[in-house]
Amino acid sequence: TQLLEQSPQFLSIQEGENLTVYCNSSSVFSSLQWYRQEPGEGPVLLVTVVTGGEVKKLKRLTFQFGDARKDSSLHITAAQPGDTGLYLCAGAVSGAGSYQLTFGKGTKLSVIP
Amino acid sequence: ETGVTQTPRHLVMGMTNKKSLKCEQHLGHNAMYWYKQSAKKPLELMFVYSLEERVENNSVPSRFSPECPNSSHLFLHLHTLQPEDSALYLCASSQEIRGIYNEQFFGPGTRLTVL
């Protein structure tokens, strides 16, 4: 069974601060996706990383895929209240069963104005 | 309409009721999914349809019955549910290419409460 551990589970910071959330597994994934989910809504895809060591930037968000493709991190610079939400990582394996994304439990981020 | 839509957004039902959740995707994808999201648990995959054929059901109780009449529409029929089935039910779609399922796009979900 593939598991994705996300840390921290909860994070409350002041506007303007930087933060990093982590997604770790003992399994190797062919790709990893990050989503943000707001209360009462479905997850919205932020980014997909597929290559070990890959770094992708989306404005103030920086995503990194570990060299061994077992872990990933999301760094937010100068957090804003609009960044508040549940951040989910999800890993996929290629081949049979590749439709099955393994989701972490998420990191709930609150950015206080 | 764009993306993935779900109706209703909220549903309250008794344990003896029969209801259906509807999902429609406007992305031209060929795979659709039902997920259950409960508090303090990771998203749980319930059903997958690829090219309108069910490929996975993950041992979901028979009180949940999916239907996929075409590649754009997906239903989840509910009957004799239990209070522990209360959750956010999410629909997603993706494009399968030669057995590789790409990024999944989610609908807004249906918040289900079973009394």
Side-chain angles (χ1 to χ4, degrees):
Chain A
T1 303
Q2 298 154 342
L3 292 174
L4 273 171
E5 301 285 341
Q6 288 192 244
S7 60
Q9 278 189 283
F10 302 95
L11 188 56
S12 182
I13 62 170
Q14 294 289 330
E15 182 176 359
E17 291 184 356
N18 302 333
L19 67 113
T20 303
V21 297
Y22 301 91
C23 176
N24 295 296
S25 176
S26 58
S27 302
V28 176
F29 294 101
S30 58
S31 67
L32 195 138
Q33 300 172 19
W34 282 94
Y35 293 84
R36 179 170 67 219
Q37 184 178 19
E38 298 187 15
E41 299 293 331
V44 175
L45 181 66
L46 297 174
V47 78
T48 299
V49 286
V50 296
T51 306
E54 181 178 4
V55 176
K56 279 192 173 179
K57 291 192 175 184
L58 186 66
K59 296 184 181 178
R60 293 175 294 99
L61 278 61
T62 301
F63 304 85
Q64 185 162 9
F65 202 11
D67 291 340
R69 290 184 286 128
K70 293 182 178 182
D71 54 85
S72 182
S73 63
L74 158 59
H75 181 78
I76 301 179
T77 303
Q80 298 178 2
D83 296 327
T84 293
L86 178 69
Y87 287 82
L88 296 163
C89 66
V93 293
S94 59
S98 60
Y99 50 80
Q100 184 133 355
L101 288 179
T102 299
F103 280 87
K105 291 184 181 180
T107 293
K108 192 169 184 181
L109 172 65
S110 295
V111 181
I112 302 165
Chain B
E1 293 275 19
T2 58
V4 181
T5 58
Q6 290 186 243
T7 56
R9 293 295 309 274
H10 302 273
L11 179 61
V12 179
M13 59 188 287
M15 290 192 284
T16 58
N17 291 159
K18 286 185 180 181
K19 297 286 183 183
S20 296
L21 309 185
K22 180 183 174 182
C23 175
E24 185 172 358
Q25 61 97 0
H26 309 269
L27 300 168
H29 289 162
N30 60 9
M32 296 185 76
Y33 311 75
W34 280 117
Y35 285 90
K36 177 183 178 183
Q37 187 175 36
S38 306
K40 300 181 181 179
K41 284 186 177 181
L43 275 166
E44 300 172 64
L45 178 64
M46 299 176 73
F47 300 103
V48 180
Y49 277 84
S50 174
L51 301 172
E52 299 152 46
E53 290 189 10
R54 191 162 73 191
V55 295
E56 178 66 42
N57 71 354
N58 274 336
S59 302
V60 176
S62 60
R63 57 186 183 268
F64 295 92
S65 174
E67 178 190 359
C68 187
N70 55 61
S71 61
S72 298
H73 294 86
L74 186 64
F75 295 89
L76 188 62
H77 304 298
L78 317 170
H79 66 99
T80 58
L81 295 191
Q82 305 297 311
E84 60 264 29
D85 297 322
S86 299
L88 182 68
Y89 287 84
L90 292 161
C91 173
S93 71
S94 70
Q95 183 64 23
E96 182 210 351
I97 303 172
R98 295 180 188 172
I100 298 174
Y101 293 69
N102 288 308
E103 299 156 335
Q104 293 183 19
F105 294 84
F106 286 83
T110 295
R111 172 64 65 185
L112 174 67
T113 303
V114 182
L115 300 176

